[in-house]
Amino acid sequence: VDLAEVMRSTGAIREFVDEPVDDTALREIFELARFAPSGGNRQGWKVIVVRDPAKRARLQEMSRAGWREYAAYVAAGRVPFAPGPDGKWTGPPDDVDAAGIDVPGAVEAIHEAPVLAVLAADLQQLAVTDIDLDRQSIVGGASVYPFAQNVLLAARDLGMGGVLTTFLCRRESEVKELLGIPTPYAVAALLALGRPTRFPTRLRRKEVDELVAIDDFTGRPLR
Ligand SMILES: Cc1cc2nc3c(=O)[nH]c(=O)nc-3n(C[C@H](O)[C@H](O)[C@H](O)COP(=O)(O)O)c2cc1C
């Protein structure tokens, strides 16, 4: 598939054909993904491919808990885990209650993916240039998530698909213990990969007019 087609069609895939991804293909995905950029080219990422059925089941259980919290925010009409208008976290709102929320089949299906991989990031290798600003920091993740996107693009190029999820990050200490991830690392994402039951036909994304402005945030769009 050509690059433009890959970029246009790499959507979130959460349901997979029950067919293994062989190690040659999986290696090829990481072989391509490793060319991702990172601050200072420090490449502080580590991928743990989880095959042990007991560990996979634990990851699913932990993701479920994260999903319930996420869905509770949505049910309350809020942006899940979002900072407030001043860019700071003020704690979960009172109207968000995760009790009794069911986990949908599509979310469960993620954990049946042929490949489940946890992406960890060495915090000491991140160039977090907004580290001391009095708001939610964003820059550190930029040294990790381009790698994750490269994994998804490479998978798509090989006729596969996948999704990056972050529900697990709500249970970071348990995930670290389960997988032996050492202290300076953070859990950045879970990646699920495999052959999709179907590819999305069209991704819904903002138009260029909405997201690019000339000279000022409210400037004229790029035409
Ligand atoms: C940083 C990040 C976190 C995400 N976390 C989750 C997640 O926890 N669970 C999930 O099902 N999808 C997750 N996604 C996938 C998004 O929901 C998906 O990319 C978005 O809804 C667009 O979907 P589409 O490609 O099908 O249009 C995440 C994506 C990103 C980039």
Side-chain angles (χ1 to χ4, degrees):
V1 198
D2 85 316
L3 179 63
E5 178 55 24
V6 165
M7 292 178 76
R8 281 180 185 280
S9 63
T10 303
I13 301 290
R14 300 185 177 85
E15 288 176 78
F16 304 90
V17 175
D18 186 16
E19 158 192 317
V21 173
D22 68 55
D23 283 356
T24 309
L26 191 55
R27 256 200 88 91
E28 176 65 8
I29 289 171
F30 293 120
E31 168 59 27
L32 294 172
R34 73 189 177 90
F35 291 99
S38 57
N41 197 23
R42 275 183 296 273
Q43 306 164 56
W45 45 66
K46 173 87 181 185
V47 179
I48 300 133
V49 176
V50 184
R51 290 179 170 162
D52 178 333
K55 288 184 179 180
R56 288 175 59 112
R58 279 284 293 136
L59 292 180
Q60 180 167 18
E61 212 177 289
M62 291 187 251
S63 280
R64 263 182 214 135
W67 160 260
R68 284 198 187 94
E69 281 184 276
Y70 181 96
Y73 276 86
V74 174
R78 297 178 180 276
V79 180
F81 309 112
D86 57 357
K88 296 182 200 171
W89 176 241
T90 48
D94 293 342
D95 55 349
V96 169
D97 180 9
I101 288 187
D102 288 334
V103 181
V107 172
E108 293 284 8
I110 294 171
H111 305 89
E112 311 302 327
V115 177
L116 275 190
V118 169
L119 175 61
D122 184 346
L123 296 176
Q124 289 190 297
Q125 298 300 326
L126 300 181
V128 191
T129 51
D130 63 352
I131 197 164
D132 52 0
L133 296 188
D134 189 19
R135 59 146 173 81
Q136 171 61 43
S137 173
I138 186 167
V139 174
S143 281
V144 184
Y145 295 113
F147 173 85
Q149 179 64 5
N150 266 8
V151 168
L152 297 176
L153 292 172
R156 173 71 190 89
D157 194 41
L158 294 179
M160 286 182 256
V163 66
L164 178 164
T165 75
T166 48
F167 296 142
L168 261 191
C169 305
R170 301 293 300 160
R171 295 287 183 281
E172 178 171 276
S173 58
E174 290 163 67
V175 177
K176 287 173 70 170
E177 198 185 323
L178 181 74
L179 303 177
I181 298 171
T183 298
Y185 281 79
V187 174
L190 175 77
L191 291 163
L193 302 172
R195 204 162 290 284
T197 49
R198 61 179 182 86
F199 277 105
T201 45
R202 187 163 176 267
L203 302 183
R204 287 187 308 138
R205 300 292 188 263
K206 287 182 184 172
E207 297 295 336
V208 173
D209 279 1
E210 276 182 82
L211 59 96
V212 182
I214 310 283
D215 285 337
D216 186 274
F217 192 91
T218 57
R220 66 187 167 81
L222 180 70
R223 286 280 155 73

